[in-house]
Amino acid sequence: MIDQGQDKGHDQDQEWSARRRRAGIAAFAAGFALALAFFVFWPGLPHVIDAGALVVSLLVGGLTRWACQAWMTKQHTGTR
């Protein structure tokens, strides 16, 4: 038989994992959009979105996602 306390803890872990995943997706989208906007609107750059700008934007989005999820994990575990 499953103890109710264990089941409740499992639900909380799943809820936290889902929240962390959603935050990671939002962070990736924000980082990607801001990096792409930089290439589109910054004066002096050619206003053409080429493959290099897309790759850099994807990398910035991935880095932003990683940083957000690392920060959330650090806050959740209480480590410094």
Side-chain angles (χ1 to χ4, degrees), residues 6-25:
Q6 289 176 347
D7 191 34
K8 186 176 181 180
H10 183 68
D11 289 342
Q12 288 175 345
D13 285 343
Q14 283 183 338
E15 180 183 328
W16 181 79
S17 294
R19 189 177 324 129
R20 182 176 178 264
R21 190 177 322 110
R22 284 191 306 269
I25 291 169

Side-chain angles (χ1 to χ4, degrees), residues 1-78:
M1 179 181 248
I2 296 176
D3 185 24
Q4 291 297 328
Q6 289 176 347
D7 191 34
K8 186 176 181 180
H10 183 68
D11 289 342
Q12 288 175 345
D13 285 343
Q14 283 183 338
E15 180 183 328
W16 181 79
S17 294
R19 189 177 324 129
R20 182 176 178 264
R21 190 177 322 110
R22 284 191 306 269
I25 291 169
F28 176 83
F32 178 78
L34 288 174
L36 201 58
F38 171 80
F39 287 110
V40 171
F41 295 112
W42 192 261
L45 290 176
H47 297 289
V48 176
I49 300 300
D50 60 351
L54 291 175
V55 169
V56 170
S57 296
L58 286 171
L59 290 174
V60 169
L63 181 64
T64 307
R65 177 183 180 267
W66 172 79
C68 175
Q69 289 187 333
W71 178 78
M72 287 185 73
T73 301
K74 187 176 177 181
Q75 294 297 318
H76 182 71
T77 60

